Amino acid sequence: MSKTTPDKKVKKTKVAVEEVAVKKTPRKASAKGGSASGGKHGKKYLEARKKYDINKLYPLKEAVTLVKSTSISKFDGKVEAHVLLFETGTPSEITFPFLKVTAKKIAVLNDAILAEIKDGKINFDILVATPVTMPKLLPFARVLGPRGLMPNPKNGTLTDKPNEAVKKLSIAKTIIKSEKSAPVLHQVVGSVSQPNEELIANVEELVKVIKAPKIRKLVLCATMGPGIKVEVK
């Protein structure tokens, strides 16, 4: 039985990473109309591919326009960013300026909220308290603690400026990270119906947080649409 050498393992890993990172990047079609990899695409997909050069790196502004024009779904699809990195990275926190997410209910501790907690009612996702009101929560630490709801200064939920805390916590934050086994990152950066300027701003923020020199390849696509290779600066 033959053994796989370290060099062959590395080569196989690189090939696998390439396939995952650019899985939505179109391949050249075969003479029968299928893809070079043997798969087949529908008529709408093939028509969409004719709108751009599959080998070209497009400036971000132009790439976003192409993503929209090549989306073939009847619904409002997502705009996805598929990033191939030079190496796996640690998780990073990012705040997209124009990314719609499910709103979280934030409550500031007062007598009414305290009464609900005593009755076993938890009607909030985040609880903010002040140093003055915090002692009142201590009897409920066993209830709130395991759920990650106990206010604490490290995450900004225990503060003497609760109103400012609510504003900061209301901003959508996302944790981005590469896959555990490969330097590949997949992230939704908006929806097809959003204004181009908003999508551009979201992608620019993503590149800024990851850092351009760490990006080997960036591909944008709609949920149902081919991948557009993006020029990274």
Side-chain angles (χ1 to χ4, degrees):
M1 187 173 180
S2 62
K3 294 183 179 180
T4 303
T5 65
D7 288 342
K8 287 183 178 180
K9 287 183 178 179
V10 171
K11 186 175 182 180
K12 287 182 179 179
T13 300
K14 288 183 177 180
V15 171
V17 170
E18 280 284 355
E19 290 178 349
V20 173
V22 297
K23 64 180 180 179
K24 300 204 68 172
T25 303
R27 310 278 181 86
K28 290 184 178 179
S30 65
K32 294 182 180 181
S35 69
S37 60
K40 292 184 178 180
H41 294 294
K43 183 178 179 180
K44 289 184 178 180
Y45 186 95
L46 295 176
E47 287 296 322
R49 286 200 326 194
K50 295 178 182 179
K51 296 181 179 182
Y52 67 99
D53 183 348
I54 64 174
N55 298 309
K56 181 179 178 180
L57 292 175
Y58 287 91
L60 179 55
K61 184 176 180 180
E62 191 173 352
V64 168
T65 299
L66 285 170
V67 167
K68 288 189 168 191
S69 66
T70 56
S71 175
I72 60 175
S73 63
K74 293 182 179 180
F75 56 88
D76 183 20
K78 301 295 184 183
V79 176
E80 307 167 1
H82 299 276
V83 188
L84 176 60
L85 306 167
F86 281 102
E87 58 184 18
T88 54
T90 54
S92 300
E93 188 178 86
I94 181 172
T95 301
F96 288 104
F98 302 103
L99 187 62
K100 296 178 181 179
V101 296
T102 302
K104 291 186 176 181
K105 187 174 181 179
I106 303 172
V108 176
L109 183 63
N110 54 32
D111 291 339
I113 296 295
L114 191 62
E116 290 182 356
I117 295 174
K118 287 180 179 179
D119 291 337
K121 299 177 182 178
I122 307 296
N123 296 317
F124 50 81
D125 300 303
I126 300 173
L127 181 62
V128 177
T130 67
V132 174
T133 59
M134 185 64 187
K136 298 179 181 179
L137 280 180
L138 296 182
F140 309 101
R142 291 184 179 181
V143 176
L144 300 176
R147 301 186 186 189
L149 296 175
M150 276 297 281
N152 86 62
K154 290 184 178 180
N155 60 21
T157 53
L158 178 56
T159 172
D160 55 2
K161 297 180 179 179
N163 292 332
E164 289 185 14
V166 170
K167 290 181 180 180
K168 290 181 180 179
L169 293 167
S170 297
I171 298 174
K173 292 184 179 180
T174 304
I175 301 297
I176 57 172
K177 59 181 178 179
S178 63
E179 295 182 1
K180 291 183 179 180
S181 59
V184 182
L185 185 152
H186 308 290
Q187 176 63 46
V188 171
V189 292
S191 59
V192 175
S193 64
Q194 280 186 255
N196 286 25
E197 294 74 18
E198 293 186 1
L199 292 172
I200 291 171
N202 284 343
V203 177
E204 288 178 337
E205 186 63 21
L206 180 65
V207 172
K208 178 183 176 183
V209 170
I210 297 175
K211 295 182 175 54
K214 295 183 179 181
I215 299 175
R216 182 178 175 188
K217 184 177 294 184
L218 170 60
V219 175
L220 293 181
C221 65
T223 301
M224 292 180 65
I228 311 297
K229 296 177 182 178
V230 183
E231 183 178 59
V232 179
K233 295 182 179 180

